[in-house]
Amino acid sequence: MIEINSAFEKTNRVVVISLNPAIDLTGMLDSINLGHVNAINNSEQHPAGKGINVASVLVSLGAAVTLTGFLGQDNANDFTNLFNSIGIVDDCIKVPGSTRTNCKLVDSHNQVTEFNFQGFIVTETLIEKLEKRVLALTNNHDYFVISGSVPPGFKEMYLFDWITKLRKMNKRVLFDSSKDALKQGMQALPWLVKPNEHELSSYSGKLLIHEQDYLIAAKNLLAQGIEQVVISKGEKGVLWVNQEGILISIPPPMNIVSTVGAGDTLVAGLCWSFMQQFSRTETLSFSTALAALSVTQVGVCLPSLEEIYVTQKSVAIKKFDRAG
């Protein structure tokens, strides 16, 4: 097993890898009637995708974020304008075609129905170019966040190779994906993984229902060599398991507007907390508060620090000493 040095210095520098970003078109409506015209009450459109969301929140917290990955050259301006306006360093590779559009419909019961379209297709030449760019960033970065799905043409085995190389360079990789990409990435043993309930059930090959089911699955990942296992469970909170023990957070009740981006906000909160060397309890309460506040709005937008700290005080933390 590769040894990971735990004595990382406090930093605000981080690389976010966004392989398959999207233009998010979110519509709010009373209910969805298939086969009929549906009236949208209000809507919002903005550059997004899991990696973009993570980067946006991290910058708002004070991180120096370098974003790399792929962008479709036909609508790249939508993204570069965002990067320039909030201070993300753009190190993305422009590829032929358009970045995809994701349509998200949120009904009056806060259920989200998503329609994810296909965008650009990447070639092996483009993938190799991006790998060189990622590895070059290891010269002055210790934290790497890989978040989101992969585009057509990108074989999931590349995730395994990249994470393995980053681990051998003693880098902390925070990984959040789904489906086959999640499986390949998990096998490379990133420093931190953050599946949600459904993703962990899919990865485990069986339906996880009870708290003990999630604990067993988390401990199995820990035994394989993943150091930090964080499971997001929506309004039921967050389960974090590592060799120091088990922490469970329960957020306060929130006025839910949209859950889109809540998981990405959690990842950003965790990454920032680790970089600032928060305690374990502070890391989880801060990240949970940040994610809880994100569901009160459409899109990812950092509330005031005062609001975060007030919400953080209302996050309940349960602590268990041993993960084994």
Side-chain angles (χ1 to χ4, degrees):
M1 175 179 167
I2 299 170
E3 292 294 330
I4 302 249
N5 180 12
S6 60
F8 277 71
E9 295 182 356
K10 183 176 179 179
T11 181
N12 69 339
R13 298 174 63 85
V14 58
V15 175
V16 177
I17 302 172
S18 177
L19 300 171
N20 199 23
I23 298 291
D24 266 8
L25 175 59
T26 303
M28 317 292 289
L29 73 173
D30 296 328
S31 62
I32 300 176
N33 297 307
L34 297 178
H36 298 276
V37 175
N38 291 265
I40 303 297
N41 298 328
N42 54 73
S43 64
E44 180 177 304
Q45 181 173 307
H46 58 273
K50 294 179 73 63
I52 306 295
N53 292 341
V54 172
S56 298
V57 175
L58 277 168
V59 163
S60 298
L61 287 168
V65 177
T66 296
L67 182 83
T68 191
F70 301 114
L71 285 178
Q73 60 188 18
D74 293 350
N75 56 353
N77 285 345
D78 293 333
F79 292 87
T80 55
N81 289 339
L82 170 67
F83 302 159
N84 291 334
S85 68
I86 65 177
I88 291 175
V89 176
D90 178 9
D91 201 18
C92 293
I93 293 173
K94 309 304 186 292
V95 304
S98 297
T99 301
R100 65 195 176 121
T101 297
N102 287 346
C103 180
K104 305 173 188 292
L105 300 178
V106 185
D107 64 24
S108 58
H109 299 290
N110 296 313
Q111 295 183 109
V112 180
T113 302
E114 299 191 35
F115 300 88
N116 293 346
F117 293 85
Q118 181 173 303
F120 53 71
I121 299 174
V122 296
T123 63
E124 287 197 21
T125 299
L126 289 168
I127 296 168
E128 291 171 1
K129 184 177 180 181
L130 179 57
E131 180 178 339
K132 291 179 181 178
R133 192 161 295 191
V134 169
L135 295 180
L137 289 167
T138 61
N139 292 327
N140 51 9
H141 293 85
D142 288 324
Y143 285 85
F144 289 75
V145 179
I146 304 176
S147 183
S149 60
V150 300
F154 189 100
K155 298 177 181 178
E156 286 81 3
M157 68 178 184
Y158 287 113
L159 285 174
F160 178 90
D161 293 339
W162 292 5
I163 292 172
T164 299
K165 288 177 180 177
L166 290 170
R167 288 183 67 245
K168 288 180 178 179
M169 294 178 184
N170 200 30
K171 305 302 176 182
R172 284 185 168 177
V173 179
L174 290 78
F175 181 61
D176 181 22
S177 191
S178 59
K179 300 179 180 178
D180 289 340
L182 176 66
K183 293 179 181 179
Q184 284 289 332
M186 288 273 222
Q187 290 171 14
L189 308 179
W191 183 72
L192 180 146
V193 296
K194 191 223 62 73
N196 62 30
E197 296 170 289
H198 308 296
E199 291 162 350
L200 188 58
S201 288
S202 177
Y203 178 82
S204 301
K206 60 182 180 180
L207 181 63
L208 306 178
I209 300 175
H210 305 292
E211 193 75 41
Q212 192 63 26
D213 298 333
Y214 295 104
L215 279 173
I216 292 172
K219 290 175 184 178
N220 287 338
L221 294 175
L222 213 64
Q224 292 170 27
I226 297 174
E227 294 195 25
Q228 315 291 338
V229 181
V230 179
I231 305 167
S232 56
K233 302 172 67 180
E235 70 277 4
K236 293 178 287 185
V238 180
L239 171 65
W240 178 17
V241 182
N242 64 16
Q243 292 296 344
E244 296 180 63
I246 301 163
L247 289 181
I248 299 173
S249 67
I250 306 295
M254 307 300 292
N255 179 28
I256 299 176
V257 173
S258 172
T259 58
V260 176
D264 309 328
T265 303
L266 177 65
V267 171
L270 289 166
C271 185
W272 176 251
S273 298
F274 287 124
M275 293 194 300
Q276 301 310 300
Q277 299 183 345
F278 290 174
S279 68
R280 291 179 68 228
T281 300
E282 188 179 8
T283 292
L284 188 56
S285 63
F286 178 82
S287 305
T288 301
L290 205 61
L293 285 166
S294 73
V295 306
T296 64
Q297 61 195 8
V298 175
V300 292
C301 180
L302 192 72
S304 67
L305 287 176
E306 182 181 356
E307 192 174 2
I308 297 172
Y309 295 146
V310 169
T311 305
Q312 184 178 3
K313 292 178 181 177
S314 299
V315 174
I317 300 289
K318 299 178 182 178
K319 183 177 181 180
F320 303 89
D321 290 335
R322 294 182 59 84

